[in-house]
């Protein structure tokens, strides 16, 4: 065993200082090249029940992920693993039969991280498909497919990606992922609410045919074992596993990975910041353990670095944002014109993330500058009459932050801003206006909002909020079914296809169709609806 | 492979009607605490077992709140469980007694449900509130003792203006009951 003290690896800086980088990489589960074969204690059978994944693609690498869980739904959150370290080997090949293995290595799966490993594979070719698998003891994982990003100076002709959010396991089947796993994709973006913290009871278990859940699932997730168990329940779904195995993912959380509508250290349920940060710490730990995230995102106490930038050659830059951890608390004015929510000091990103974002946007040479984030950026007046009413949980609660962002976009001629959003459990698409109160003002960007994968159950094409949303002239689409968003990006246009499913509660056989299809031309922000959709 | 986390220090216990509130000092971030397991016993010897486990939390406090209207004494020890599954030795034992509810000695004028720290006999319980309150009680709760049914007419929760799921507005509940005579002294009410 390489490491000297099982307690250090989670304090990254301390551990790197004490033991050197390669030992730290192995102990943190981030991987080192393979040399001698490892010796493991007996490994329980079938440890890959939660599947495999890859993420964070760069031109020369990806992060791989798996978590050893011979009993995925063990209620102590440890997946049926003994409290010991196990060495997991991984292989990356140019072909799906592993005749041409280009990289191999090993990483330690430790009980501190619920036996998750996150090997960071480098030295791969850009814009290339690879296959990967894991081995521990005599057990071999399913094979995953992944793809590296193009070289930073490349001019890719196209990029295909899917966007998903809000997958309350208990509200329905993951039919969206069944369909997604059949598409030709370079990347999957997940924009938050991968798990929900609520207890699962008879009242909210709309996903049919899943049998009876033990009492442990009825608890609101507060402890680490409860968050781990909720991830296990969620990731046990075969279609979600297939989608993870199909393409690299970029994952960012929203509120429900911790608690509904939280803001930084503020719970909306009357809890002290000191107590709430304890919950955020275990929720972030479980998030890291269950996603293909880079070690840059390894939490330290209650903090987790989640905003980051990935480049797809000169075609696109993805700015992955964190609009929860650094935001100001809910304003007291409730949206009164000129009230606290317009305070210039307020920020949904926090000062450091704003600075990081603006500096990146100013120097970007990408054709498409993508903001992959959680909550709606466009202003949405929720009063269908002459008055105004705004949600304070979205960018409308942080108007000065939105103005600063738009100022950076316009004054620096940032090319083709494209915002990707989740949160609202509806498909929508908006034109971002220089002045949302003036429909004739310039359109400075485009926002594509994906509906939920499962949250809110079957849904319907229209519902009681349709008039509210479509009453805002910059809103060009509203659909309240479940589904996901598929995007085809080229240097000249972005085609967005809003996919919906006729039902998800009864079973996973629902029919997937396209509710709407839009083209956004490079150099001409906005939405042009094209044929092929069925609204 | 795993080592044992330290037990919590500074534990206190304080009784109130129907409940005992515990608090303790939160330790540092490493090792990360999975949860604190709270064990309770009638006797000073608190055995650490699933039979004595009354709750888990990551917070620095816990309310043991299903103790009923009669005063009871409980002894508590807290076990810290870390992210690797390591378990501490139990904390020092703390002790407290809940206080007597006036429902045990007063004369009931009207009662809705049972004093059992549960709400299952009430409308919308156990989880129907967020979806059903506005539909079931659009004008608030208006309960007439002796005529209304707690199972349909008294919501198990009563939202306030901070509850977004209930429209962030004030809600009124009315409990109407009949008195034989106008009392000379004030009367009290208790919930539970």
């Amino acid at each position: 065993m390489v490491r000297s003290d099982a307690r250090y690896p989670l304090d990254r800086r301390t551990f790197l200082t004490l033991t050197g980088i390669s030992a730290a990489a192995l102990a943190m589960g981030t991987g080192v090249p393979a040399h001698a074969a490892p010796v493991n204690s007996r490994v329980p059978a079938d440890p890959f029940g939660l599947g495999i994944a890859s993420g964070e693609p760069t031109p020369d690498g990806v992060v791989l992920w798996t978590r050893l869980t011979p009993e995925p739904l063990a209620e102590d959150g440890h997946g049926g693993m003994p409290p010991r370290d196990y060495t997991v080997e991984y292989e990356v090949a140019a072909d799906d039969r592993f005749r041409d293995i280009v990289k191999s290595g090993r990483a330690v799966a430790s009980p501190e991280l619920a036996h998750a490993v996150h090997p960071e594979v480098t030295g791969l070719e850009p814009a290339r498909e690879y296959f990967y698998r894991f081995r521990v003891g005599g057990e071999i994982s399913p094979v995953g497919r992944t793809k590296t990003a193009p070289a930073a100076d490349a001019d890719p002709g196209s990029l295909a990606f899917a966007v998903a959010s809000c997958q309350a396991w208990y509200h329905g089947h993951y039919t969206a992922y069944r369909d997604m796993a059949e598409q030709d994709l370079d990347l999957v973006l997940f924009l938050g609410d991968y798990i929900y913290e609520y207890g699962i009871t008879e009242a909210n278990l709309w996903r049919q045919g899943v049998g009876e859940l033990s009492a442990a699932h009825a608890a609101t997730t507060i402890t680490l074992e409860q968050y781990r168990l909720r991830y296990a329940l969620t990731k046990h779904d075969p279609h979600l596993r297939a989608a993870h195995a199909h393409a690299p993912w970029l994952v960012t959380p929203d509120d429900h990975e911790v608690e509904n509508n939280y803001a930084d250290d503020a719970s909306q349920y009357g809890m002290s910041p000191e107590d709430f940060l304890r919950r955020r710490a275990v929720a972030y730990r479980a998030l890291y353990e269950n996603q293909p995230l880079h070690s840059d995102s390894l939490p330290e106490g209650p903090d987790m670095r989640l905003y980051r930038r990935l480049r797809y050659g000169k075609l696109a830059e993805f700015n992955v944002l964190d609009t929860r951890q650094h935001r100001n608390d809910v304003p007291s004015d409730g949206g009164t014109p000129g009230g606290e929510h317009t305070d210039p000091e307020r920020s949904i990103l926090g000062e450091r993330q704003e600075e990081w974002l603006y500096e990146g946007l100013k120097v970007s040479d990408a054709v498409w500058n993508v903001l992959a984030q959680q909550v709606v950026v466009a202003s949405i007046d929720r009063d269908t009459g002459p008055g105004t009413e705004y949600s304070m949980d979205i960018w409308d609660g942080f108007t000065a932050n939105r103005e600063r962002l738009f100022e950076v976009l316009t004054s620096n001629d940032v090319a083709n801003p494209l915002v990707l959003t989740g949160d609202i459990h509806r498909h929508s698409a908006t034109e971002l206006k220089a002045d949302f109160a003036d429909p004739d003002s310039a359109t400075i960007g485009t926002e594509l909002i994906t509906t939920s994968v499962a949250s809110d159950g079957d849904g319907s094409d229209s519902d009681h909020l349709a008039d509210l949303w479509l009453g805002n002239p910059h809103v060009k689409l509203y659909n309240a079914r479940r589904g996901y968003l598929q995007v085809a990006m080229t240097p000249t246009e972005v085609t967005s296809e809003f996919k919906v499913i006729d039902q998800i509660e009864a079973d996973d056989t629902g029919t997937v169709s396209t509710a709407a299809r839009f083209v956004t031309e490079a150099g001409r922000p906005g939405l042009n609806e094209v044929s092929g959709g069925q609204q | 492979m795993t080592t044992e986390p330290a037990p919590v220090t500074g534990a206190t216990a304080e009784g109130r009607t129907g409940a005992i509130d515990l608090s303790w000092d939160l330790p540092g971030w490493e090792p990360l605490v999975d949860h604190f397991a709270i064990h309770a016993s009638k006797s000073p010897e608190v055995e650490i077992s699933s039979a004595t486990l009354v709750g888990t939390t990551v917070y620095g406090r816990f309310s043991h709140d299903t103790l009923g209207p009669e005063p009871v004494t409980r002894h508590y020890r807290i076990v810290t469980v870390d992210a690797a599954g390591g378990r501490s030795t139990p904390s020092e034992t703390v002790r407290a007694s809940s206080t007597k509810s006036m429902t045990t000695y007063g004369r009931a004028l009207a009662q809705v449900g049972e004093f059992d720290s549960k709400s299952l006999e009430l409308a919308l319980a156990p989880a129907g509130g967020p979806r059903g309150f506005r539909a079931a009680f659009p004008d608030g709760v208006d309960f007439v003792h002796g005529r209304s049914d707690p199972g349909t007419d008294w919501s198990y929760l009563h939202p306030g203006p901070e509850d977004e799921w209930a429209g962030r507005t004030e809600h009124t509940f009315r409990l109407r009951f009949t008195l034989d005579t106008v009392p000379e002294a004030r009367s009290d009410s208790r919930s539970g």
Side-chain angles (χ1 to χ4, degrees):
Chain A
M1 191 53 53
V2 177
R3 75 182 195 213
S4 56
D5 185 332
R7 306 289 287 286
Y8 278 117
L10 304 172
D11 181 342
R12 186 164 58 240
R13 275 176 239 142
T14 308
F15 193 79
L16 292 175
T17 304
L18 288 175
T19 64
I21 286 170
S22 62
L26 181 64
M28 290 199 306
T30 54
V32 294
H35 298 298
V39 178
N40 274 330
S41 307
R42 193 188 68 79
V43 178
D46 299 325
F48 297 107
L50 298 186
I52 54 170
S54 71
E56 308 294 314
T58 62
D60 78 334
V62 290
V63 177
L64 305 181
W65 173 91
T66 195
R67 188 181 148 202
L68 306 179
T69 56
E71 299 169 34
L73 301 185
E75 292 179 1
D76 67 358
H78 287 280
M81 287 296 288
R84 292 193 294 274
D85 288 355
Y86 287 82
T87 299
V88 178
E89 298 169 274
Y90 60 89
E91 290 178 328
V92 179
D95 65 303
D96 63 358
R97 303 187 73 172
F98 289 81
R99 289 181 176 135
D100 181 11
I101 294 171
V102 297
K103 291 284 171 187
S104 62
R106 60 184 200 268
V108 170
S110 70
E112 287 89 342
L113 290 176
H115 293 97
V117 292
H118 300 75
E120 294 168 6
V121 181
T122 57
L124 303 179
E125 297 291 322
R128 179 150 182 186
E129 187 176 71
Y130 288 97
F131 300 87
Y132 61 94
R133 65 186 177 189
F134 296 91
R135 181 166 63 196
V136 59
E139 303 283 341
I140 297 176
S141 77
V143 173
R145 169 198 174 269
T146 190
K147 195 170 180 183
T148 51
D153 59 352
D155 291 302
S158 67
L159 171 64
F161 60 92
V163 189
S165 72
C166 304
Q167 55 182 35
W169 179 91
Y170 45 82
H171 274 181
H173 293 268
Y174 291 165
T175 315
Y177 291 127
R178 188 200 74 201
D179 191 72
M180 194 187 289
E182 294 170 357
Q183 309 302 321
D184 185 9
L185 297 172
D186 298 303
L187 181 68
V188 174
L189 292 155
F190 190 88
L191 302 182
D193 296 347
Y194 192 95
I195 63 161
Y196 280 66
E197 77 278 25
Y198 302 123
I200 303 174
T201 65
E202 201 177 319
N204 63 8
L205 182 55
W206 307 346
R207 176 189 275 231
Q208 296 167 26
V210 295
E212 202 160 312
L213 294 173
S214 72
H217 299 277
T220 301
T221 57
I222 292 173
T223 66
L224 180 55
E225 67 179 7
Q226 290 168 334
Y227 281 105
R228 282 170 167 168
L229 180 60
R230 189 57 57 86
Y231 274 102
L233 180 69
T234 303
K235 295 182 83 76
H236 202 230
D237 181 278
H239 301 307
L240 177 58
R241 278 184 276 149
H244 272 298
H246 183 61
W249 283 42
L250 272 180
V251 177
T252 190
D254 193 14
D255 53 338
H256 288 289
E257 282 86 351
V258 183
E259 185 193 59
N260 182 43
N261 287 356
Y262 81 94
D264 189 359
D265 62 359
S267 164
Q268 309 304 311
Y269 297 89
M271 188 185 311
S272 72
E274 184 188 31
D275 276 337
F276 179 68
L277 286 176
R278 293 285 157 164
R279 186 174 180 187
R280 201 178 86 176
V282 295
Y284 282 0
R285 171 68 71 88
L287 164 64
Y288 176 79
E289 290 170 350
N290 285 282
Q291 300 291 8
L293 290 166
H294 194 274
S295 57
D296 289 348
S297 294
L298 182 69
E300 293 191 40
D303 302 320
M304 185 172 191
R305 171 72 181 242
L306 285 161
Y307 60 87
R308 58 217 194 258
R309 184 174 292 119
L310 283 92
R311 183 176 169 89
Y312 270 73
K314 293 178 184 171
L315 181 61
E317 273 196 358
F318 289 89
N319 298 278
V320 182
L321 305 184
D322 175 0
T323 59
R324 281 288 159 197
Q325 188 178 184
H326 311 290
R327 67 162 61 185
N328 291 107
D329 200 0
V330 182
S332 57
D333 65 328
T336 307
E340 185 191 344
H341 74 289
T342 65
D343 183 344
E345 297 294 317
R346 286 179 59 76
S347 176
I348 196 170
L349 298 174
E351 190 176 346
R352 286 173 64 186
Q353 185 176 197
E354 275 199 60
E355 189 179 341
W356 164 88
L357 175 62
Y358 302 155
E359 290 308 308
L361 289 172
K362 286 175 186 174
V363 300
S364 171
D365 63 350
V367 175
W368 299 95
N369 286 283
V370 182
L371 273 56
Q373 54 95 53
Q374 295 81 8
V375 293
V376 173
V377 170
S379 183
I380 304 297
D381 179 3
R382 309 175 79 85
D383 187 328
T384 51
T388 58
E389 185 185 344
Y390 299 99
S391 165
M392 296 293 97
D393 191 56
I394 64 177
W395 285 70
D396 272 334
F398 306 83
T399 54
N401 194 160
R402 185 169 57 205
E403 287 161 12
R404 287 191 293 273
L405 170 63
F406 283 14
E407 167 64 18
V408 168
L409 295 176
T410 53
S411 64
N412 295 279
D413 292 326
V414 174
N416 300 308
L418 179 68
V419 177
L420 303 175
T421 301
D423 181 48
I424 62 168
H425 310 175
R426 310 288 189 279
H427 273 321
S428 188
T430 80
E431 296 183 334
L432 299 175
K433 308 298 285 186
D435 178 0
F436 285 103
D438 177 8
D440 295 327
S441 69
T443 297
I444 62 169
T446 312
E447 180 172 27
L448 307 175
I449 304 167
T450 187
T451 190
S452 54
V453 167
S455 307
D456 283 345
D458 289 344
S460 53
D461 286 332
S462 188
D463 67 6
H464 66 291
L465 295 175
D467 289 346
L468 181 163
W469 280 80
L470 293 170
N472 292 268
H474 46 279
V475 175
K476 305 300 181 188
L477 170 69
Y478 183 89
N479 186 292
R481 288 200 184 277
R482 308 288 77 83
Y484 71 99
L485 169 63
Q486 192 168 346
V487 178
M489 178 180 275
T490 73
T492 56
E493 63 185 31
V494 158
T495 304
S496 49
E497 197 171 329
F498 292 85
K499 294 193 161 186
V500 293
I501 308 159
D502 60 347
Q503 64 83 12
I504 64 159
E505 293 178 28
D507 56 33
D508 62 356
T509 66
T511 302
V512 181
S513 61
T514 298
R517 186 180 283 124
F518 293 91
V519 167
T520 300
E521 298 169 66
R524 289 190 59 213
L527 295 154
N528 305 295
E529 186 157 13
V530 293
S531 61
Q534 319 155 4
Q535 269 198 281
Chain B
M1 210 43 219
T2 57
T3 50
E4 200 175 84
V8 297
T9 56
T12 64
E14 189 173 349
R16 57 183 165 91
T17 305
I20 294 172
D21 297 322
L22 302 168
S23 68
W24 52 90
D25 298 334
L26 288 167
W29 294 107
E30 294 292 338
L32 186 67
V33 173
D34 179 324
H35 63 267
F36 304 105
I38 294 91
H39 294 265
S41 171
K42 291 178 182 173
S43 77
E45 308 300 321
V46 185
E47 183 193 350
I48 303 301
S49 73
S50 58
T52 60
L53 182 67
V54 293
T56 61
T57 186
V58 287
Y59 308 137
R61 57 186 171 75
F62 179 80
S63 291
H64 190 195
D65 60 0
T66 53
L67 299 176
E70 298 288 348
V72 298
T73 298
R74 291 288 183 273
H75 302 78
Y76 297 92
R77 300 183 85 182
I78 301 159
V79 173
T80 303
V81 180
D82 70 17
R87 300 174 67 85
S88 76
T89 56
S91 69
E92 299 283 321
T93 303
V94 291
R95 167 186 179 278
S97 301
S98 61
T99 56
K100 180 186 289 214
S101 165
M102 52 81 72
T103 61
T104 63
Y105 55 83
R107 182 173 66 85
L109 299 173
Q111 180 171 338
V112 182
E114 299 298 322
F115 194 129
D116 57 0
S117 301
K118 297 173 186 168
S119 54
L120 294 174
E121 74 277 29
L122 305 177
L124 302 175
R131 283 173 76 86
F133 184 86
R134 279 191 285 183
F137 300 102
D139 302 316
V141 171
D142 192 348
F143 190 96
V144 181
H145 183 250
R147 197 166 74 208
S148 302
D149 177 1
T152 54
D153 300 329
W154 186 268
S155 175
Y156 82 108
L157 42 66
H158 297 274
E162 294 298 309
D163 290 306
E164 188 176 359
W165 55 266
R168 283 195 181 278
T169 59
E170 292 184 5
H171 295 272
T172 303
F173 67 78
R174 289 185 179 79
L175 172 58
R176 302 174 194 267
F177 55 93
T178 305
L179 296 173
D180 296 335
T181 56
V182 177
E184 293 177 6
R186 63 188 278 272
S187 293
D188 290 330
S189 66
R190 290 283 181 197
S191 64

